[in-house]
């Protein structure tokens, strides 16, 4: 919404100036507390095509100039912080910045931003030698009626389809009303399919209930892609799983994955940087493939994932409105 009064605009500008001042102070204070060697600072997480020149900063004047150049080049506070803290993952949540040390014991990805191909139709591809990422979408009843014949004609290879979801406040377990139609018509048009469950289970009985519901829906259907447990924080809402600690949710998702395996499914976890770093212990899921949501191609998040949701405002012929776009890396 545009500011319609000068006073509001001035207040906004003042807030931005204050934010910048606070940020500069934070850089120095946090740097001092962490014992960071300023000479080693670089923009290693910036996009290669838009990288801030690495400077061996040795004085306060050089540090301030580096921050100034970062802002003048259009970088946000978050992007600038990330360039100053290459050994930590920096994220913003609830109007605060969080710093999480990178865990070198975890499996990492080897994605290269230079290998991303941005196509004229708004989709992306990834080609690295003989490796070519597979193009996909994910859908639910939010997409309404889908013309799957038209979707197939756009060279969409796979679709992840919501099967089951639980109310994040009510706890009511429901079947996605478009699930059966989407699954049948996608497969009838030669599109491989997997499914996902938006979980808000807070105990093992509810996990069992969700898997039982899935079994009843799938019946004799065959899947070519995994069954995904969708773990995410709903911005601005109070969801049921917030009552669980990180350790409790980790234990519950471990149980979920084991039970999916027992029922003959291949489990996968859907994560974003918040759920990956703050909601579960990634060490417990090194043998489980990840589907990671991030809407840029700098590959800042270093850990391994098999599927990449790279856009939530995609356009695909046969679907009205927006749809999530994905790439699957079959050999990584």
């Amino acid at each position: 919404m545009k500011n319609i009064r000068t006073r509001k605009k001035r207040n906004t500008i003042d807030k931005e100036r204050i934010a910048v001042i606070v940020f500069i102070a934070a850089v120095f204070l946090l740097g001092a507390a962490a014992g960071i060697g300023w000479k080693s600072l670089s923009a290693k997480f910036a996009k290669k095509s838009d990288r801030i020149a690495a400077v061996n900063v040795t004085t306060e004047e050089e540090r301030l100039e580096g921050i100034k150049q970062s802002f003048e080049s259009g970088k946000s506070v978050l992007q600038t912080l990330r360039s100053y803290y290459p050994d930590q993952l920096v994220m913003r949540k609830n109007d605060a910045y969080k710093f999480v040390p990178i865990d070198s014991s975890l499996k990492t990805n080897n994605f290269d931003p230079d290998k991303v191909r941005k196509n004229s139709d708004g989709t992306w591809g990834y080609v690295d030698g003989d490796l070519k990422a597979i193009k996909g979408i994910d859908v639910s009843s939010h997409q309404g009626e889908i013309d799957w014949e038209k979707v197939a004609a756009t060279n969409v290879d796979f679709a992840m389809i919501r099967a089951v979801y639980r109310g994040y406040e009510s706890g009511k377990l429901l079947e996605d009303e478009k699930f059966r139609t989407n699954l049948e018509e996608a497969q009838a048009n030669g599109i491989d399919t997997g499914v996902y469950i938006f979980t808000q289970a807070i105990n093992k009985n509810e996990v069992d209930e969700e898997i039982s519901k899935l079994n009843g829906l799938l019946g004799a259907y065959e899947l070519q892609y995994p069954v995904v447990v969708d773990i995410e924080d709903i911005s601005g809402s109070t969801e049921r799983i917030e009552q669980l600690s990180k350790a409790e949710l980790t234990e519950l998702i471990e149980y979920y994955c084991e039970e999916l395996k027992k029922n003959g499914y291949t489990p996968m976890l859907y994560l974003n940087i918040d759920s990956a770093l703050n909601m579960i212990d990634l060490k417990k899921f090194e043998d489980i493939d990840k589907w990671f949501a991030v809407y840029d191609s700098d590959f800042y998040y270093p850990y391994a994932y098999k599927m990449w949701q790279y856009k939530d405002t995609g356009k695909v012929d046969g679907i009205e409105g927006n749809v999530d776009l994905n790439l699957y890396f079959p050999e990584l």
Side-chain angles (χ1 to χ4, degrees):
M1 183 179 294
K2 294 181 180 179
N3 292 316
I4 58 174
R5 296 187 185 276
T6 304
R7 183 177 180 182
K8 280 189 176 181
K9 185 177 292 186
R10 186 180 298 115
N11 288 341
T12 301
I13 293 171
D14 288 343
K15 289 179 180 178
E16 291 173 352
R17 288 173 176 166
I18 291 169
V20 170
I21 293 169
V22 170
F23 164 72
I24 292 171
V27 168
F28 294 131
L29 290 173
L30 289 170
I36 289 176
W38 292 102
K39 289 187 178 182
S40 67
L41 296 177
S42 69
K44 63 178 289 187
F45 292 127
K47 295 179 182 179
K48 286 187 178 180
S49 61
D50 190 28
R51 183 170 294 184
I52 301 171
V55 178
N56 290 326
V57 291
T58 58
T59 67
E60 180 178 343
E61 182 179 352
E62 288 175 330
R63 292 195 291 271
L64 288 171
E65 181 62 24
I67 293 169
K68 176 185 174 184
Q69 289 179 7
S70 182
F71 288 141
E72 287 182 340
S73 69
K75 301 299 181 184
S76 66
V77 170
L78 182 60
Q79 290 171 315
T80 305
L81 273 173
R82 286 175 171 177
S83 71
Y84 275 84
Y85 293 88
D87 298 325
Q88 300 185 60
L89 292 171
V90 187
M91 60 168 290
R92 183 174 172 82
K93 182 178 181 180
N94 298 331
D95 297 323
Y97 294 96
K98 294 183 177 293
F99 297 77
V100 181
I102 292 175
D103 188 342
S104 60
S105 71
L106 293 174
K107 295 176 185 176
T108 58
N109 71 70
N110 60 348
F111 302 141
D112 183 346
D114 287 343
K115 306 298 183 182
V116 175
R117 300 289 182 264
K118 299 183 181 181
N119 304 315
S120 59
D121 62 358
T123 63
W124 294 2
Y126 187 94
V127 179
D128 187 358
D130 294 332
L131 170 67
K132 184 176 181 180
I134 301 171
K135 178 181 176 181
I137 58 175
D138 61 274
V139 300
S140 70
S141 57
H142 293 297
Q143 274 67 50
E145 297 291 336
I146 296 176
D147 186 331
W148 285 99
E149 185 176 359
K150 288 184 177 179
V151 172
T154 66
N155 298 317
V156 165
D157 295 301
F158 73 91
M160 303 301 295
I161 300 170
R162 187 173 72 170
V164 174
Y165 65 99
R166 188 183 292 276
Y168 55 82
E169 291 182 337
S170 70
K172 186 175 182 180
L173 185 62
L174 298 168
E175 169 189 349
D176 186 289
E177 64 185 29
K178 296 293 183 182
F179 170 68
R180 297 172 195 265
T181 299
N182 283 335
L183 184 68
E184 290 175 4
E185 293 190 7
Q187 292 187 347
N189 282 279
I191 297 173
D192 289 340
T193 54
V195 302
Y196 70 95
I197 301 169
F198 177 79
T199 186
Q200 285 290 309
I202 56 174
N203 54 55
K204 291 181 178 179
N205 288 337
E206 291 188 345
V207 169
D208 293 338
E209 183 186 12
E210 292 179 5
I211 295 176
S212 177
K213 182 81 167 177
L214 180 68
N215 286 336
L217 291 176
L218 287 177
Y221 294 119
E222 291 187 9
L223 299 176
Q224 296 75 43
Y225 279 74
V227 171
V228 180
V229 183
D230 181 345
I231 308 166
E232 55 184 306
D233 184 20
I234 306 299
S235 178
S237 302
T238 302
E239 61 265 33
R240 302 172 84 236
I241 59 173
E242 279 190 343
Q243 64 188 274
L244 300 179
S245 68
K246 185 174 183 176
E248 289 170 336
L249 184 57
T250 295
E251 182 180 355
L252 192 61
I253 299 303
E254 282 186 286
Y255 175 78
Y256 212 135
C257 291
E258 289 304 314
E259 291 303 304
L260 285 173
K261 290 177 184 178
K262 289 178 184 177
N263 281 268
Y265 303 120
T266 301
M268 176 181 271
L269 300 182
Y270 174 90
L271 303 166
N272 53 31
I273 194 167
D274 177 28
S275 52
L277 299 183
N278 298 319
M279 296 177 69
I280 61 171
D281 182 356
L282 287 175
K283 291 189 183 72
K284 303 291 187 179
F285 303 100
E286 283 283 75
D287 63 336
I288 302 295
D289 285 335
K290 317 298 190 305
W291 176 11
F292 190 72
V294 59
Y295 306 134
D296 59 58
S297 59
D298 64 359
F299 298 120
Y300 174 74
Y301 178 82
Y303 304 128
Y305 51 100
K306 191 85 169 179
M307 192 184 303
W308 173 27
Q309 185 185 87
Y310 66 85
K311 193 171 187 178
D312 62 351
T313 56
K315 303 294 181 184
V316 172
D317 194 24
I319 300 177
E320 292 187 12
N322 295 331
V323 64
D324 297 335
L325 303 180
N326 301 273
L327 292 175
Y328 182 80
F329 302 93
E331 299 175 22
L332 297 178

